[in-house]
Amino acid sequence: MCTLEKRGRVLILTLTGSGEHRLGPGLISSLRSALATARSDPSVAALVTAGEGRFFSNGLDLAWAKNSSEGLSTLVRLVKPLIADLISLPMPTVAAVTGHAAAAGMMLAVAHDYVYMRGDRGVLYMSELDIGLPFPDYFMDLMQAKITDPRTLRDVTLRAKKITGTEAKERGIVDKVCQSASETVAEAVKMAEELAGRNWDKGVYASIRLSVYPKLCKSLEIPQESDEAVRKHFASRL
């Protein structure tokens, strides 16, 4: 379902195969395991996530939800800690959006610190309005944290607009648009290598990221660092 490749201090997480990379229990578990590997490896200083084929991720596995007694609410519940894993990961993260990223797949992409996207194919698309589903609270909090232009947020949520890479760059959702899937991954890795080379303290990086998005962290139930822990960290640096 996904593979890990280490290039120096950068870990590349790839959703493999030519399918839609829909987020069902199996893929969610595989992604969380990969992120746990990144978190536990002291030699890894940055993460890149990419997808093979036409899709980065086409959202939740609705077929699984339809055929399972657990239903859609289970998938919504399972994706929440996956997003929390990314938001709390103690290193810079870069999404290489190599194909369509829809609904939960778009949430997976924008949960990274940086988003690179191919310009020749693929869209960002929150499909919930078109298929008659409300947004989970943490989806909305993530969008509000990452899409700061109110008109763009309106178009994404209340118009279900499909946004190309070029438009996503213009609207501030993605950081860079590339000409192909391979170039998108290469440029994302290049950015990750640059960030890894800064040799930042991992704990400090995670702490600062969490402080940037307090509402999102509360929604994702990520524990906040206490004032005492912050004071101890400052003391350790003196």
Side-chain angles (χ1 to χ4, degrees), residues 38-218:
R39 188 184 296 269
S40 65
D41 189 336
S43 67
V44 173
L47 174 82
V48 171
T49 304
E52 292 181 344
R54 293 179 55 239
F55 293 88
F56 177 78
S57 172
N58 204 21
L60 299 178
D61 190 341
L62 300 180
W64 180 91
K66 183 178 179 180
N67 295 317
S68 170
S69 59
E70 298 178 80
L72 191 60
S73 61
T74 295
L75 295 183
V76 172
R77 177 177 55 80
L78 291 176
V79 169
K80 185 175 180 177
L82 171 61
I83 301 299
D85 288 346
L86 275 168
I87 296 297
S88 63
L89 198 68
M91 65 189 68
T93 58
V94 187
V97 182
T98 46
H100 301 299
M106 180 175 167
M107 295 295 90
L108 179 65
V110 301
H112 292 72
D113 298 323
Y114 301 87
V115 182
Y116 282 29
M117 187 174 175
R118 65 187 293 182
D120 63 323
R121 176 187 292 178
V123 295
L124 302 178
Y125 169 45
M126 295 305 292
S127 58
E128 280 80 353
L129 188 61
D130 285 337
I131 62 177
L133 290 174
F135 290 118
D137 288 345
Y138 70 93
F139 274 32
M140 184 58 70
D141 289 336
L142 178 57
M143 284 186 283
Q144 289 175 337
K146 297 290 186 154
I147 303 174
T148 57
D149 175 62
R151 291 181 178 84
T152 298
L153 184 62
R154 175 202 63 196
D155 287 348
V156 168
T157 58
L158 297 176
R159 189 178 169 191
K161 181 176 175 58
K162 297 178 180 179
I163 301 178
T164 65
T166 299
E167 186 176 3
K169 173 67 166 59
E170 293 171 351
R171 288 172 173 257
I173 304 175
V174 307
D175 297 281
K176 187 169 185 177
V177 178
C178 304
Q179 294 302 310
S180 65
S182 60
E183 182 182 334
T184 304
V185 175
E187 289 297 310
V189 171
K190 182 179 178 181
M191 178 60 167
E193 288 172 340
E194 177 186 327
L195 295 167
R198 299 294 297 273
N199 293 315
W200 288 315
D201 181 288
K202 288 185 175 183
V204 171
Y205 191 90
S207 176
I208 291 175
R209 189 202 286 119
L210 296 182
S211 69
V212 171
Y213 307 118
K215 183 181 178 184
L216 174 61
C217 290
K218 184 177 181 180

